[in-house]
Amino acid sequence: LDDQLLQKLLPTLAERVFELLFLRPDDFNGQDIANVIWSCGELQARGAPVSPLLDLLPVLSEVAVKRAAVMKEQDLSNVMWSCAMLQKGDTPVPALLDIMPVVSAFAEKRADTMKAQELQNTLWAASLIKDEVAVAAGLIPKLACVTLERSPTWIAKDVEMALPMIAAALARLEDRQQQPLLKTIAKRLEGTLGRQNDWRLCALMLSFTEVFKEVAVSDFRERLRAEVERRGLSEEMVLRSQLGPREWQTR
């Protein structure tokens, strides 16, 4: 849809969602809530007029808190991720931060049955909003523990896509208590560096050569350096990887 059409449709759409939130809040599941928040972020990134939808978010946050107990693992992960991404946009919504302590507490309880992408997105979300609001105290250690235990059984696609972002999230959090997990990540990714996209490679480079220098994975570091040099990726690109894949691509 072009921006002119969006400008005409958004007030009507927002009014309808607002009506549903008040009349039938129990009809909103975690995915519905995440979709509305995600849509605001996507439209905002496009420069579209999103103020009618942004006005919904304080009410939506109240519904999210009430519905968190019945959200599935993917719902909890998606809600945290979409909230964090929108908070880092041009128009943060402070009310969304109220969701995080409650949703993250349920995410901690459900972590044992989270899939690779859900673990990745939850950790990344927590790293993005670390300076704005505290997540449940046990969330990060729990997610790291589950990743350490289960990642050796992940399929190749999950290993190659999730583990670099998990390492990047731990680097953003500056969590130096997860050395066993970081060593496992290095071991699992050692033979994949040539297949990693540029952002994931830069994120791994930043994590293992700048933030976690003390982790004993010297062979992995050398392979990282060699692959980064082969591709001609600059030091600035490596440092900018902490912004995230989308933001990094706008360099």
Side-chain angles (χ1 to χ4, degrees):
L1 296 178
D2 61 38
D3 286 349
Q4 284 188 337
L5 184 55
L6 275 173
Q7 198 161 6
K8 292 179 180 179
L9 289 176
L10 279 177
T12 302
L13 291 171
E15 184 178 350
R16 179 56 177 154
V17 175
F18 197 73
E19 180 182 318
L20 290 171
L21 282 170
F22 271 100
L23 296 179
R24 297 160 57 186
D26 289 346
D27 285 357
F28 281 77
N29 60 32
Q31 190 59 57
D32 296 329
I33 293 166
N35 284 346
V36 174
I37 299 169
W38 177 84
S39 297
C40 289
E42 287 295 298
L43 291 168
Q44 188 181 79
R46 286 178 50 179
V50 295
S51 55
L53 285 177
L54 293 179
D55 292 341
L56 290 170
L57 296 183
V59 179
L60 191 69
S61 70
E62 294 179 10
V63 174
V65 168
K66 292 175 181 176
R67 301 288 292 161
V70 296
M71 287 185 189
K72 298 177 182 178
E73 295 85 348
Q74 184 178 9
D75 298 336
L76 293 163
S77 173
N78 286 347
V79 167
M80 285 190 63
W81 182 85
S82 57
C83 285
M85 295 298 288
L86 185 57
Q87 283 302 114
K88 291 302 178 182
D90 295 333
T91 311
V93 182
L96 288 180
L97 294 177
D98 296 337
I99 296 175
M100 288 299 190
V102 176
V103 173
S104 64
F106 284 104
E108 179 186 345
K109 292 178 181 179
R110 308 260 203 282
D112 284 317
T113 48
M114 280 187 175
K115 297 177 182 177
Q117 185 174 1
E118 294 157 5
L119 291 165
Q120 160 200 308
N121 287 349
T122 306
L123 268 169
W124 185 251
S127 77
L128 285 180
I129 48 88
K130 66 183 177 72
D131 295 326
E132 284 83 20
V133 65
V135 296
L139 177 66
I140 306 304
K142 181 64 175 180
L143 295 173
C145 180
V146 172
T147 302
L148 178 62
E149 291 176 354
R150 296 180 55 195
S151 59
T153 66
W154 287 354
I155 61 174
K157 180 181 178 182
D158 288 341
V159 168
E160 293 183 20
M161 296 188 69
L163 289 184
M165 183 166 271
I166 288 172
L170 293 175
R172 283 184 58 93
L173 292 162
E174 298 183 356
D175 188 343
R176 303 186 183 282
Q177 306 303 311
Q178 309 303 334
Q179 289 204 25
L181 174 56
L182 290 163
K183 289 178 181 179
T184 296
I185 290 173
K187 182 177 180 180
R188 294 299 320 267
L189 293 178
E190 197 168 29
T192 75
L193 299 182
R195 299 192 297 273
Q196 295 291 345
N197 66 25
D198 287 350
W199 177 79
R200 291 197 291 265
L201 190 68
C202 285
L204 288 168
M205 183 74 172
L206 180 65
S207 300
F208 283 93
T209 67
E210 296 294 333
V211 181
F212 299 123
K213 295 179 181 179
E214 71 279 8
V215 180
V217 288
S218 55
D219 289 347
F220 183 64
R221 282 195 189 89
E222 290 307 310
R223 294 188 184 192
L224 269 174
R225 290 191 179 98
E227 184 62 22
V228 167
E229 183 177 348
R230 185 185 73 80
R231 297 191 196 184
L233 301 172
S234 68
E235 183 178 352
E236 180 189 3
M237 294 164 74
V238 170
L239 291 174
R240 277 179 53 81
S241 67
Q242 65 187 305
L243 299 177
R246 172 180 284 185
E247 293 76 9
W248 183 86
Q249 288 171 358
T250 63
R251 67 190 186 279

